[in-house]
Amino acid sequence: MITWTGKGLTTTQGRPKDSSSPGRGTGGMQIGRILIVSLFLLFSSIQGIDVKPQKELYVPNYRFYHNLKLIDDEIQYLLKFPNYVKLYSQYRSRQNRPQYLLHICNFTEIRRKKPQILFSYGEHAREFLPVESAIFFLRNLTGGLLPHADLYSKQFTQRILSQSDLYIILMANPDGRHYIEQTSNYCWRGTSSGVDLDRNFDWEFGGKGSTSNTQDEEYRGNEPFSEPESVVFEEISAEVSFDAFFSFHSGINHIYIPYSDTRSRILHREPDNVDEMMKLASQLSHCSRHRYKYGTSHQLINYTADGTIFDYMAGVRKIPFSFTIELWGKQHQGLSCFDLFNPESQELKELVQSLHPLYINIIQYLAEWKSSNQPNMVNPNSEHPSMVLGYMLLGITVAVSALVCLHRKLRNCPNFYQHQRIVSLKTLSSSFPAKNL
């Protein structure tokens, strides 16, 4: 949860200078007109006012990073495991790009009480790293399902699937990412309409920790849920009784606990489960080399944020665990953007590996919490045996027990049935009716 308001991020229409040189004569003028029209069509689809693109220290190399095309390729690979991966294809952006809501679970087993967890990535377009960490996690998770998987991979996959019921929004803001790929403006944060998706939710919407100024990167939109991209969060959190929600970002090494809004800061308001959340945050802060600072959002940073997703999940949906995790940050100087939120391409693989323990510790902690602290908790959206069947089995057991007791008590009465010894075929010839007891 980081905004950058240095001089380099003054607001503008977001149209980069056209560096192309039109050719000479009529042909050159026609080419120039075509380029102008093309640029107009591109930028007219982006209605918001963006910060200016800056001179970057480095940019993503797509031999290491995933662009939208490569992300879709990863999704198609995951769908090769239909017994474990389901895609909700109905959730799409304003410009009809998929947001990739995945359900990761062993669909072949009987449903058991496991923590239901929602992970979210890509809310801010310029933050590539969180999406990369998710892809690395999903590759490892499905690696144990391959026929040639080694023992460690199989054990890891079995462990995660046995301890969790995962939902993952892999690309919450695909239009914003598309805009970056088309314009190379790595400072872009919002949706195609310039809205900060993480200020567009119905929890203290409209407070000072957001803005109605369309020229600001924290523009909240005209009303809560004005963006089609917010629908997936609203609907899936109404359909599933989640135990935990995690919104992954980058730009600093922080773990935020609700609430981040202006009113909560004044009232010192905290969620009901704050102590348990602090315990998990403490564990996560020490499980990797990154040594995250953690605490209530408005205590860690000197500004508030109104209408955030994780506040909505905690305050409205009452999800017991709700976090925003800023996965990575570094000392930053100058006006560039991409390096503020993302590592150099050559460092990416090693960095996402170092983030992997976060996922393991999240799932393990929540699995233990679910089993030990909530033994009687029943998810109303999950499948469970009918109570009628339970009463029927209990009644049959009582009736049989009563008959046995009565039969043993009335030893001189005729048997209800003749006992016979159960024997194998080899000794069938020696079988005979059992004597009365």
Side-chain angles (χ1 to χ4, degrees), residues 186-419:
Y186 295 101
C187 297
W188 181 264
R189 170 182 168 116
T191 64
S192 61
S193 55
V195 172
D196 181 349
L197 191 60
D198 204 22
R199 301 294 185 274
N200 191 233
F201 281 70
D202 196 13
W203 173 265
E204 302 297 343
F205 177 84
K208 293 182 179 179
S210 64
T211 180
S212 60
N213 181 3
T214 59
Q215 298 185 16
D216 194 294
E217 66 174 11
E218 289 190 83
Y219 172 49
R220 59 180 171 256
N222 295 326
E223 59 184 357
F225 307 118
S226 64
E227 299 305 285
E229 290 84 352
S230 66
V231 172
V232 60
F233 295 91
E234 185 184 16
E235 291 191 354
I236 197 63
S237 62
E239 178 183 336
V240 180
S241 296
F242 286 111
D243 298 293
F245 169 74
F246 293 83
S247 175
F248 292 95
H249 293 260
S250 57
I252 197 171
N253 288 9
H254 280 178
I255 298 175
Y256 298 119
I257 294 169
Y259 296 103
S260 63
D261 65 273
T262 305
R263 189 160 179 261
S264 292
R265 184 174 190 172
I266 296 172
L267 299 175
H268 303 286
R269 179 168 53 185
E270 295 179 333
D272 296 336
N273 199 40
V274 64
D275 292 338
E276 199 72 46
M277 279 193 268
M278 284 290 188
K279 291 179 184 178
L280 175 53
S282 176
Q283 180 170 319
L284 297 179
S285 72
H286 297 96
C287 73
S288 73
R289 73 179 194 210
H290 299 284
R291 297 297 184 266
Y292 298 97
K293 291 183 179 179
Y294 65 93
T296 304
S297 176
H298 56 69
Q299 293 177 338
L300 286 182
I301 53 180
N302 59 2
Y303 65 91
T304 58
D306 292 280
T308 62
I309 304 175
F310 88 124
D311 276 358
Y312 172 81
M313 294 299 183
V316 176
R317 293 305 191 203
K318 302 298 182 183
I319 295 177
F321 294 84
S322 185
F323 294 88
T324 287
I325 299 183
E326 298 272 1
L327 292 171
W328 175 86
K330 68 175 184 178
Q331 293 286 335
H332 182 269
Q333 295 180 346
L335 306 178
S336 55
C337 286
F338 189 78
D339 63 304
L340 176 59
F341 302 99
N342 310 283
E344 292 192 58
S345 298
Q346 306 92 292
E347 300 173 358
L348 178 62
K349 182 177 180 180
E350 189 273 335
L351 180 56
V352 295
Q353 288 175 340
S354 72
L355 298 172
H356 196 55
L358 281 172
Y359 295 101
I360 299 173
N361 279 265
I362 286 171
I363 291 170
Q364 180 177 335
Y365 185 97
L366 291 173
E368 293 174 355
W369 169 83
K370 183 89 171 183
S371 61
S372 62
N373 295 330
Q374 304 290 330
N376 298 317
M377 185 171 62
V378 176
N379 186 336
N381 295 301
S382 63
E383 299 175 2
H384 51 276
S386 169
M387 293 297 293
V388 175
L389 177 60
Y391 289 132
M392 289 177 61
L393 293 174
L394 178 61
I396 293 172
T397 302
V398 171
V400 171
S401 300
L403 287 172
V404 170
C405 292
L406 181 62
H407 181 57
R408 289 180 176 176
K409 184 177 181 180
L410 303 175
R411 301 177 66 90
N412 297 324
C413 295
N415 288 334
F416 288 98
Y417 56 87
Q418 293 292 321
H419 290 279

Side-chain angles (χ1 to χ4, degrees), residues 52-67:
K52 290 181 179 178
Q54 302 296 324
K55 183 178 180 180
E56 299 291 345
L57 296 180
Y58 54 82
V59 296
N61 182 334
Y62 290 119
R63 290 187 299 129
F64 299 90
Y65 279 93
H66 290 75
N67 58 19

Side-chain angles (χ1 to χ4, degrees), residues 13-16 35-50 94-95 97 175 178-179 182-183 188 191-194:
Q13 184 65 34
R15 179 178 297 181
L35 289 173
I36 291 172
V37 171
S38 299
L39 285 172
F40 173 78
L41 291 174
L42 171 63
F43 289 103
S44 65
S45 67
I46 303 294
Q47 299 173 8
I49 308 298
D50 189 15
R94 184 180 297 276
Q95 297 180 345
R97 294 186 178 87
D175 292 349
H178 175 74
Y179 178 65
Q182 295 299 309
T183 65
W188 181 264
T191 64
S192 61
S193 55

Side-chain angles (χ1 to χ4, degrees), residues 17-23 31-32 35-36 39:
K17 295 180 180 179
D18 185 3
S19 60
S20 60
S21 299
I31 295 174
L35 289 173
I36 291 172
L39 285 172

